[in-house]
Amino acid sequence: MTIRLYDTSARQIRDFAPLTPGCVSIYLCGATVQAAPHIGHIRSGLNFDIMRRWFAYRGYDVTFIRNVTDIDDKIIRKAADQNRPWWSIGYENERAFNDAYDALGCLPPTYEPRATGHITEMVEMMRGLIERGHAYEADGNVYFDVRSLPGYLSLSNQDLDDLRQPDEGASGKRDPRDFAMWKSAKPGEPSWEAPWGRGRPGWHLECSAMAHKYLGEEFDIHGGGIDLIFPHHENEIAQAKGFGDAFARYWVHNAWVTMSGEKMSKSLGNSVLVSEMVKQWRPVVLRYYLGTPHYRSTIEYSEEALREAESAYARIEGFVQRVTELAGQAVEPAAEVPPAFAEAMDDDLGVPQALAIVHTTVRQGNSALAADDKDAAVARLAEVRAMLGVLGLDPLAPHWAGEQEQGEDLRHVVDSLVRLVLDQREAARARKDWSTADAIRDQLGQSGLVIEDGPQGPRWSLGSR
């Protein structure tokens, strides 16, 4: 089946047809590194990590670019407020983003260019836009003339007559709707040399120039959060097309993580930092929570939802562990995922439907375990591992090995303590003291442990908190 994606520019799901057969090129707007990331920032990275993994599974050679915006108004303001160099703010938070991506199991990008490393490419693009009549210089600033390009605002589906560009505090615009590509130097602010005088690039220009540098005049997919559709992505398109590039063939946008119905944002004071979240929750649980809803659906943050994710992943993990113990060795992932899983993923990355296949397969595997059918249980585990590998959630994958080893150390301690209690329960059952046996089981259940009686005796697993 052909992979199909919702294309924001077409406002419909389209069959994916690559520019180059067997290859896919993806540009994702990455971090603006004025602050450490909250889980809303990282959702985009997770969603496109799953997209990348699925394309790779389908046999594509993937080139994945995720940029770093290390200079913009917010970074400059924060540096002034903290009396620190602007580059130290950017570098500190760039590392925090990379730590967060790594903690949640995101594969590293093919290239991760910084904006400040591509001033030359930006100057070249501005020079070309001025020559083509799409841009002009005024008071040391360079602006894009939005009326010069037919089709401007087609991505966001706005009317030019009603357009209000964000206030950029710059002077010399011919039309208030024009946007800045180059901002003239101000005292105390970072600046670079350009034909129009010292200054710094505008946010939109950075991505147009870097996409051109690493992916060429045309590429397959441009991604980012829905909040970037306007003005950022709209203005990227204007610059690229004005320069002569065909630019992105598909536009894919992920939805927000919200709190109390509002977009998670530092300015609203409702953000949840990844660095703090991983102290309270296992990173693999955070990945499950953020990565398994459909990428176009809003996630409303709540601890209850996180506990549900923790419980759901524990059921998967428990099955993987039980079958691995039964097999006596690691069970390799199946060569192919089940057809229903593949169908769901091909259909606009339908992760919720694909995850339902994972849980159905786990239930089938548990039934096989109950029936003492080792071969069927092992076969189901191979399928489960193949599916979890695509989602970046395989508990036996090398990335999660350290987390598992730490968990195993604690599990051995807990197992010894629980065994003492279970021995007391077995003694009560042997003397037909059913009320005591049931009371012990209930007390363990209240502690978050699930007790299952099987042919080899009772075993325990973690339930919900």
Side-chain angles (χ1 to χ4, degrees):
M1 181 179 176
T2 302
I3 294 176
R4 305 173 72 233
L5 295 171
Y6 183 86
D7 180 4
T8 304
S9 61
R11 294 170 186 80
Q12 64 180 356
I13 294 176
R14 297 174 54 203
D15 289 350
F16 176 74
L19 182 65
T20 303
C23 299
V24 58
S25 46
I26 303 171
Y27 185 94
L28 175 64
C29 283
T32 297
V33 288
Q34 93 274 11
H38 57 62
I39 59 175
H41 292 132
I42 295 303
R43 183 189 183 184
S44 181
L46 278 173
N47 288 153
F48 284 90
D49 181 65
I50 292 171
M51 173 191 281
R52 173 197 188 165
R53 289 170 183 264
W54 183 243
F55 272 116
Y57 172 82
R58 279 304 198 195
Y60 286 90
D61 182 8
V62 182
T63 300
F64 182 63
I65 310 300
R66 186 183 68 210
N67 77 292
V68 175
T69 296
D70 60 341
I71 185 67
D72 84 332
D73 293 340
K74 295 177 182 177
I75 294 171
I76 292 171
R77 283 197 296 270
K78 181 156 287 190
D81 291 344
Q82 297 182 11
N83 195 28
R84 293 173 57 188
W86 64 270
W87 45 261
S88 71
I89 298 282
Y91 182 62
E92 175 183 283
N93 292 309
E94 181 182 342
R95 292 189 63 178
F97 267 89
N98 284 332
D99 288 346
Y101 289 132
D102 184 61
L104 271 60
C106 292
L107 299 173
T110 310
Y111 304 109
E112 192 169 26
R114 293 190 185 103
T116 55
H118 297 80
I119 302 297
T120 299
E121 289 82 358
M122 297 176 204
V123 169
E124 179 184 346
M125 181 167 278
M126 283 186 287
R127 184 182 286 116
L129 287 166
I130 290 173
E131 291 172 355
R132 291 170 173 83
H134 294 297
Y136 57 93
E137 182 272 336
D139 300 332
N141 305 294
V142 178
Y143 298 104
F144 188 93
D145 180 357
V146 298
R147 293 169 299 176
S148 72
L149 190 74
Y152 180 63
L153 300 179
S154 60
L155 181 68
S156 57
N157 198 29
Q158 297 184 79
D159 190 316
L160 184 59
D161 291 335
D162 298 329
L163 179 65
R164 295 290 182 273
Q165 291 277 15
D167 180 23
E168 297 171 302
S171 63
K173 286 186 181 183
R174 297 174 183 170
D175 187 310
R177 295 168 294 189
D178 295 344
F179 61 87
M181 294 189 294
W182 188 257
K183 300 181 180 183
S184 61
K186 295 180 177 62
E189 290 189 355
S191 63
W192 290 261
E193 286 290 348
W196 315 279
R198 292 191 67 87
R200 59 185 174 88
W203 175 32
H204 317 304
L205 177 67
E206 297 172 353
C207 285
S208 296
M210 287 187 284
H212 178 90
K213 165 82 172 182
Y214 292 93
L215 297 177
E217 296 180 359
E218 186 175 14
F219 57 95
D220 291 308
I221 298 169
H222 196 311
I226 57 172
D227 53 319
L228 299 182
I229 294 173
F230 182 84
H232 186 49
H233 289 167
E234 197 72 78
N235 292 347
E236 277 189 63
I237 293 171
Q239 293 163 155
K241 289 189 177 295
F243 189 65
D245 290 357
F247 212 49
R249 294 157 59 90
Y250 298 81
W251 286 86
V252 180
H253 292 93
N254 63 277
W256 293 332
V257 178
T258 61
M259 292 181 72
S260 303
E262 293 186 273
K263 174 196 170 188
M264 189 169 286
S265 167
K266 285 191 172 299
S267 62
L268 294 175
N270 61 0
S271 59
V272 184
L273 294 180
V274 176
S275 59
E276 294 302 314
M277 293 292 287
V278 295
K279 296 175 185 177
Q280 304 171 50
W281 304 90
R282 293 171 59 199
V284 70
V285 169
L286 280 178
R287 182 180 178 99
Y288 186 101
Y289 169 67
L290 293 171
T292 54
H294 194 275
Y295 74 91
R296 289 193 287 120
S297 65
T298 299
I299 299 174
E300 174 68 14
Y301 171 78
S302 72
E303 288 206 2
E304 180 182 1
L306 266 163
R307 284 193 292 270
E308 290 174 358
E310 181 182 52
S311 179
Y313 189 73
R315 289 194 294 272
I316 296 172
E317 204 170 29
F319 166 72
V320 172
Q321 181 183 37
R322 287 193 291 273
V323 181
T324 301
E325 291 174 357
L326 178 65
Q329 60 183 5
V331 175
E332 292 302 314
E336 296 184 358
V337 298
F341 181 94
E343 183 178 354
M345 292 297 292
D346 281 337
D347 188 11
D348 195 30
L349 303 177
V351 174
Q353 294 79 9
L355 191 65
I357 306 303
V358 174
H359 284 287
T360 296
T361 309
V362 167
R363 287 193 294 271
Q364 293 169 347
N366 283 328
S367 296
L369 284 172
D372 206 20
D373 187 344
K374 177 181 175 181
D375 290 343
V378 168
R380 298 294 80 73
L381 175 55
E383 292 172 346
V384 166
R385 287 202 65 196
M387 293 185 283
L388 293 178
V390 167
L391 301 176
L393 290 168
D394 182 1
L396 301 182
H399 181 81
W400 305 117
E403 181 179 306
Q404 267 211 321
E405 288 169 6
Q406 292 177 350
E408 283 301 309
D409 291 342
L410 180 60
R411 186 181 179 90
H412 290 316
V413 174
V414 175
D415 186 62
S416 298
L417 297 173
V418 174
R419 285 293 159 195
L420 291 174
V421 180
L422 289 178
D423 287 345
Q424 295 175 18
R425 178 172 176 264
E426 288 302 291
R429 284 160 61 95
R431 63 177 184 266
K432 301 189 186 311
D433 184 357
W434 308 118
S435 61
T436 298
D438 289 345
I440 292 174
R441 179 173 183 149
D442 291 344
Q443 287 175 344
L444 289 172
Q446 292 171 8
S447 300
L449 301 176
V450 176
I451 308 302
E452 300 173 282
D453 293 310
Q456 286 79 40
R459 65 176 293 129
W460 65 272
S461 61
L462 289 175
S464 302
R465 291 191 184 191

